[in-house]
Amino acid sequence: MRTIRGLWRWRRNPLCRATDLAEAWVALAGLLLILSVAPLLGVLAGGAAQDTLQRSVRAQHESRHRVTATVVRPLERSALAVDPEGAGESLRSRVLAAWTAPDGARHEGPVTAGLDDPGPGDRFGLWTDERGRAVARPLDGATATTHAVLAGTGAALAAAALVEAARRTAVRRMVRARYARLEREWERAGPDWGRTGAGS
């Protein structure tokens, strides 16, 4: 709204000061930068984030493997833990499990499983690296794209906020300079300004 009010100062008006016109130009420049540069920076940042995240997705899918693990025995039930990548596996149970690594080696160790009530012999999916160590599930492409969109949106908003902060700083300096000129004029007029017989 302040930008629109700044643009309104361009109308022809005999009381319009040069500083009012300068503020209107600053408002227009800020608006144009917000409408052009901020979206461009958002697209560039989002594109860069998308490229990086998709490379990470490919690398994770190449280095991580899903194997089937078998519950040996349940361990202490952990508190509710949310897996941000797996909406369907919100309840996590801690179990001692056995699994076979992609290289054929047998492994056994404590892991978390997406089972409500795990019992010996229950089977569940587990992500491992090439050596068979349990790792987090790899990032999927849709989640990576969502993160890239959020990064682009954040960059655009940050650029817009930076332009608005610069505009406000410039206007604040103009207003201070205007008030300083007004103070000098009042000092020049003297304390008797407006009194009868004071020569003013």
Side-chain angles (χ1 to χ4, degrees):
M1 290 303 290
R2 291 184 183 193
T3 302
I4 293 170
R5 279 188 290 175
L7 296 175
W8 178 248
R9 293 179 183 174
W10 276 340
R11 70 192 188 284
R12 292 196 181 266
N13 185 340
L15 298 178
C16 184
R17 300 168 292 201
T19 56
D20 294 333
L21 193 58
E23 286 180 29
W25 278 107
V26 168
L28 178 65
L31 179 64
L32 291 176
L33 285 173
I34 287 173
L35 293 178
S36 60
V37 174
L40 179 64
L41 286 176
V43 168
L44 292 175
Q50 174 75 346
D51 291 343
T52 303
L53 288 170
Q54 291 300 334
R55 276 197 303 273
S56 178
V57 166
R58 286 190 294 276
Q60 286 182 12
H61 278 279
E62 289 172 4
S63 65
R64 298 179 186 184
H65 308 280
R66 189 167 175 87
V67 298
T68 301
T70 305
V71 175
V72 175
R73 65 181 166 85
L75 299 175
E76 289 182 23
R77 186 166 181 104
S78 64
L80 290 180
V82 177
D83 180 7
E85 303 298 328
E89 299 179 358
S90 58
L91 286 175
R92 310 290 285 177
S93 301
R94 195 144 173 82
V95 298
L96 182 65
W99 64 93
T100 303
D103 62 3
R106 296 260 314 144
H107 292 272
E108 186 174 302
V111 294
T112 54
L115 302 171
D116 290 334
D117 189 22
D122 288 346
R123 298 168 75 82
F124 62 97
L126 179 69
W127 288 94
T128 65
D129 60 10
E130 286 88 359
R131 296 181 182 174
R133 292 179 297 205
V135 294
R137 73 181 271 173
L139 185 67
D140 62 78
T143 304
T145 300
T146 302
H147 290 329
V149 168
L150 290 174
T153 303
L157 290 175
L162 186 63
V163 168
E164 177 62 15
R167 184 196 69 80
R168 287 179 182 228
T169 301
V171 169
R172 189 176 301 121
R173 286 184 179 178
M174 288 180 195
V175 169
R176 284 184 184 163
R178 183 187 312 150
Y179 285 155
R181 281 194 304 275
L182 185 62
E183 284 291 326
R184 286 192 298 271
E185 292 296 324
W186 273 110
E187 286 175 7
R188 211 176 316 152
D192 295 331
W193 180 83
R195 290 188 183 173
T196 307
S200 56

